[in-house]
C-alpha cells in the first residue's frame, strides 16, 4: 500500500505574517541599497527641471539703475556748529550765492573776534613805525636843505673873502674864519649825505618788510572775516537743492555735508553691479534702457571699483538723445552689454549655483537625476553659458540643492 504524504496547510494568519516579513526584508534591502548609493527621494513638484538649449547667448547684465543729475555739488559748511536759522527748503531752486542757513558757533566767533582785534592792533603799530620812518626822512631832508643853504652862504663869503684877502682888504684872521665856515658846512653836507644814503637803504628794507607784514595780516583778516561770513552757508552754484534736511539746533561738524545742489544740465544713470562682473565692466561699454515706450542708448562713462555689500557702482550717460521729463530717483531697467552675442549651450539660472558654484549639477533621465561635473562660463539675467558637461535637450535640476547636495542620486517621484 502506497504511503500517502499529506501537504502541510498554512492558515490565513501564517500567510499574512510571511508576506509581511517578505515585504519588510525587501524594504530593508531597498533602503540599504539607497543608503549605499546615497539616493534621495524627492517629489517632482518640489524641484525645477530646465532643459539645456542651444542658441544665442546675450552677454548682458540687467541693472536696476537710478536717475541722478549729471552734475551735483555738495553743500557743506567750513565751520562746525548748530543750525541757528534756515532760509531755504529742500527741493527749492537756488541761484549761486543764495543764503541757505546760518550756523552758530559762539566759541569760534569769539576766537575770530579776538584774532581780528589783535591783528588790527599789530597793523596799526606797523603803520606807526612806517609814519615814524617817513617823518625821520623828512627831518633829514630839512637838515639837508638847511646845510645846503648855509653851505651856499659860506661858499659865497669864502669866494669873496679870498678876493679881498688877495687884495689885502681883509685880515688873514677874517679870511681864515670864512675858510673854516666853508669847510665845516661842506663836511657836514658830506656826512649828512652819507647818513641819508644809509637811512634810505635801511628805510627801504624796513618799509618793504612792513608792507609785506601788513599784507599778510590783511590776508589773515580777510580770511577771518570770510570764516565769519561762512557761518551763513550759501549756494555754491545755481540748481535744485536736494538731500537737504536741516533742523534748528542740529549740530554739524566742519565740512559735513548739508545737502546737494543738482545742476540742471541733464541726467545720468547710476547702478549697482554684482561683483561677479567687476573684471568685465569697462568704461565705454554700451547699454540701453526703455522710457515711455522708447529705447535710449547709453554708454558707461565711469566705473567705481569699490565693492560694498557685494556690488560696485557704474555711471552711464545717454549716448545721443535723452528722455524728457526725467526726475532724480526714477528707477529704470537697463541692459548693459558686455560683449557681442554668441552661439552656445544655455542653462536657465537657478539657485543650484549657490550650492555647487557651477561645478556640478543633477542631470535627470527616466525619473532619476545623477551628479555630473560641468563647466559654466558667463551668465546673464536669464542663462548660464555651458562650456562642458551637458548636451542640448538634457534636463537639469536648477532649483536649490540645499536638501540633497550631499547625495549622489535623486529619485524623482510623482
Amino acid at each position: 500500500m502506497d504511503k500517502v504524504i499529506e501537504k502541510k496547510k498554512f492558515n490565513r494568519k501564517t500567510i499574512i505574517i510571511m508576506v509581511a516579513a517578505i515585504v519588510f526584508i525587501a524594504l530593508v534591502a531597498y533602503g540599504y541599497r539607497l543608503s549605499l548609493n546615497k539616493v534621495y527621494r524627492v517629489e517632482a513638484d518640489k524641484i525645477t527641471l530646465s532643459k539645456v538649449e542651444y542658441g544665442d547667448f546675450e552677454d548682458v547684465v540687467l541693472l536696476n539703475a537710478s536717475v541722478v543729475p549729471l552734475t551735483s555739488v555738495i553743500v557743506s559748511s567750513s565751520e562746525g556748529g548748530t543750525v541757528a536759522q534756515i532760509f531755504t527748503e529742500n527741493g527749492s531752486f537756488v541761484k549761486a550765492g543764495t543764503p541757505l542757513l546760518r550756523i552758530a558757533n559762539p566759541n569760534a566767533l569769539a576766537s575770530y573776534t579776538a584774532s581780528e582785534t589783535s591783528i588790527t592792533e599789530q597793523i596799526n603799530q606797523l603803520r606807526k613805525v612806517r609814519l615814524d620812518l617817513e617823518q625821520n626822512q623828512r627831518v633829514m631832508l630839512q637838515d639837508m636843505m638847511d646845510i645846503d643853504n648855509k653851505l651856499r652862504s659860506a661858499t659865497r663869503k669864502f669866494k669873496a673873502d679870498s678876493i679881498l684877502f688877495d687884495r689885502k682888504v681883509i685880515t688873514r684872521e677874517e679870511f681864515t674864519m670864512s675858510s673854516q665856515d666853508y669847510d665845516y658846512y661842506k663836511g657836514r653836507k658830506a656826512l649828512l649825505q652819507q647818513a641819508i644814503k644809509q637811512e634810505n637803504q635801511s628805510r627801504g628794507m624796513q618799509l618793504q618788510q612792513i608792507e609785506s607784514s601788513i599784507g599778510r595780516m590783511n590776508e589773515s583778516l580777510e580770511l577771518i572775516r570770510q570764516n565769519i561770513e561762512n557761518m551763513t552757508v550759501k549756494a555754491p552754484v545755481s540748481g535744485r537743492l536736494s538731500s537737504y534736511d536741516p533742523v534748528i539746533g542740529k549740530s554739524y561738524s566742519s565740512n559735513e555735508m548739508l545737502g546737494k545742489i543738482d545742476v540742471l544740465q541733464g541726467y545720468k544713470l547710476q547702478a549697482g553691479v554684482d561683483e561677479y562682473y567687476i573684471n568685465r565692466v569697462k568704461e565705454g561699454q554700451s547699454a540701453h534702457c526703455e522710457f515711455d515706450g522708447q529705447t535710449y542708448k547709453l554708454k558707461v562713462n565711469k566705473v567705481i571699483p569699490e565693492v560694498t555689500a557685494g556690488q560696485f557702482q557704474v555711471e552711464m550717460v545717454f549716448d545721443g538723445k535723452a528722455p524728457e521729463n526725467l526726475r532724480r530717483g526714477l528707477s529704470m531697467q537697463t541692459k548693459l552689454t558686455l560683449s557681442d552675442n554668441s552661439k552656445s549651450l544655455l542653462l536657465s539660472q537657478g539657485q543650484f549655483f549657490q550650492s555647487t558654484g557651477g561645478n556640478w549639477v543633477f542631470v535627470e533621465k527616466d525619473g532619476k537625476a545623477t551628479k555630473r561635473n560641468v563647466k559654466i562660463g558667463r551668465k546673464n539675467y536669464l542663462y548660464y553659458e555651458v562650456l562642458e558637461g551637458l548636451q542640448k535637450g538634457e534636463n537639469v535640476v536648477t532649483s536649490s540643492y540645499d536638501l540633497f547636495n550631499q547625495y549622489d542620486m535623486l529619485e524623482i517621484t510623482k
Side-chain angles (χ1 to χ4, degrees):
M1 185 176 181
D2 295 332
K3 189 177 180 181
V4 178
I5 300 175
E6 293 183 0
K7 293 183 178 180
K8 190 175 182 180
K9 295 182 180 180
F10 298 98
N11 58 32
R12 181 182 179 86
K13 183 177 179 181
T14 303
I15 293 173
I16 291 174
I17 292 172
M18 292 177 64
V19 170
I22 293 171
V23 170
F24 176 76
I25 293 171
L27 289 174
V28 171
Y30 180 72
Y32 180 71
R33 181 173 61 85
L34 288 180
S35 64
L36 287 177
N37 294 325
K38 299 190 72 174
V39 177
Y40 184 88
R41 300 184 71 182
V42 61
E43 296 178 5
D45 59 356
K46 302 295 184 182
I47 61 173
T48 301
L49 291 175
S50 301
K51 192 178 292 296
V52 178
E53 302 174 8
Y54 183 79
D56 286 329
F57 180 80
E58 191 178 10
D59 195 11
V60 299
V61 183
L62 190 63
L63 304 176
N64 188 25
S66 297
V67 176
V68 296
L70 200 58
T71 304
S72 291
V73 178
I74 292 177
V75 178
S76 62
S77 172
S78 59
E79 293 296 328
T82 58
V83 178
Q85 195 171 2
I86 300 172
F87 305 115
T88 53
E89 296 181 353
N90 190 44
S92 302
F93 180 83
V94 294
K95 292 185 178 180
T98 301
L100 305 180
L101 57 82
R102 183 171 64 83
I103 294 288
N105 189 331
N107 292 333
L109 185 60
S111 176
Y112 289 145
T113 303
S115 297
E116 184 178 18
T117 301
S118 175
I119 292 174
T120 302
E121 290 176 352
Q122 292 178 53
I123 290 175
N124 290 335
Q125 290 176 358
L126 289 173
R127 286 174 176 169
K128 184 178 182 304
V129 172
R130 183 172 61 186
L131 288 174
D132 290 342
L133 290 172
E134 292 173 352
Q135 179 65 27
N136 188 47
Q137 183 187 32
R138 285 193 294 271
V139 170
M140 295 188 76
L141 289 176
Q142 288 174 356
D143 289 344
M144 178 59 72
M145 291 175 63
D146 185 54
I147 292 298
D148 271 341
N149 185 54
K150 289 179 178 179
L151 179 60
R152 282 194 295 270
S153 297
T155 301
R156 285 195 301 270
K157 191 172 188 313
F158 172 73
K159 289 181 178 179
D161 286 354
S162 295
I163 296 172
L164 293 174
F165 179 73
D166 288 342
R167 294 178 180 178
K168 301 186 183 300
V169 175
I170 61 174
T171 64
R172 178 175 293 279
E173 184 178 355
E174 291 175 321
F175 175 69
T176 301
M177 291 181 61
S178 297
S179 176
Q180 287 177 345
D181 288 342
Y182 171 72
D183 291 337
Y184 172 73
Y185 288 117
K186 185 178 179 182
R188 279 197 63 185
K189 180 177 181 181
L191 289 173
L192 188 57
Q193 284 178 330
Q194 183 65 28
I196 289 175
K197 181 180 179 181
Q198 292 176 350
E199 176 66 20
N200 285 339
Q201 291 176 347
S202 175
R203 184 177 58 84
M205 293 178 61
Q206 287 181 298
L207 288 176
Q208 186 177 3
Q209 292 173 351
I210 289 172
E211 293 301 326
S212 177
S213 297
I214 291 176
R216 289 194 299 270
M217 291 179 182
N218 280 326
E219 289 177 0
S220 298
L221 278 178
E222 183 60 31
L223 182 60
I224 289 172
R225 290 164 185 159
Q226 186 63 48
N227 287 338
I228 295 174
E229 186 177 350
N230 286 344
M231 289 183 175
T232 298
V233 181
K234 299 178 181 179
V237 294
S238 299
R240 192 173 302 281
L241 193 59
S242 65
S243 303
Y244 178 73
D245 187 27
V247 178
I248 298 294
K250 183 177 180 180
S251 295
Y252 287 95
S253 303
S254 60
N255 298 317
E256 182 177 351
M257 189 184 83
L258 304 174
K260 294 180 181 179
I261 293 180
D262 301 333
V263 182
L264 303 182
Q265 297 177 341
Y267 293 92
K268 60 187 176 184
L269 299 186
Q270 190 174 51
V273 186
D274 192 294
E275 61 182 329
Y276 173 86
Y277 298 100
I278 195 166
N279 293 323
R280 301 196 61 210
V281 177
K282 310 291 182 184
E283 293 181 5
Q285 288 176 330
S286 61
H288 64 274
C289 66
E290 292 189 2
F291 186 75
D292 283 343
Q294 295 188 37
T295 300
Y296 295 89
K297 294 181 179 180
L298 302 128
K299 66 178 179 180
V300 177
N301 76 316
K302 190 175 184 180
V303 178
I304 304 171
E306 181 180 355
V307 176
T308 304
Q311 290 189 327
F312 64 97
Q313 297 292 313
V314 296
E315 292 181 359
M316 296 166 284
V317 295
F318 289 96
D319 189 8
K321 182 182 178 182
E324 298 179 358
N325 302 321
L326 286 180
R327 292 290 183 271
R328 169 190 270 274
L330 281 177
S331 293
M332 302 178 70
Q333 273 208 341
T334 305
K335 286 185 178 181
L336 172 61
T337 302
L338 301 178
S339 64
D340 295 335
N341 292 356
S342 58
K343 293 290 185 179
S344 181
L345 287 174
L346 308 176
L347 178 61
S348 296
Q349 283 205 33
Q351 294 182 353
F352 75 94
F353 196 90
Q354 280 69 33
S355 298
T356 71
N359 295 315
W360 58 271
V361 294
F362 279 112
V363 182
E364 185 272 340
K365 183 178 182 182
D366 298 332
K368 291 182 173 56
T370 56
K371 272 187 176 180
R372 187 186 300 177
N373 291 332
V374 296
K375 185 176 180 180
I376 300 295
R378 298 168 295 177
K379 71 173 182 177
N380 61 22
Y381 61 101
L382 291 176
Y383 297 104
Y384 293 108
E385 180 187 35
V386 180
L387 302 178
E388 295 177 5
L390 294 175
Q391 295 182 358
K392 178 182 176 182
E394 288 187 309
N395 290 322
V396 176
V397 179
T398 53
S399 50
S400 175
Y401 288 5
D402 287 349
L403 295 177
F404 44 78
N405 61 0
Q406 74 273 25
Y407 289 86
D408 298 323
M409 180 184 295
L410 302 180
E411 187 174 278
I412 303 170
T413 60
K414 300 297 184 181

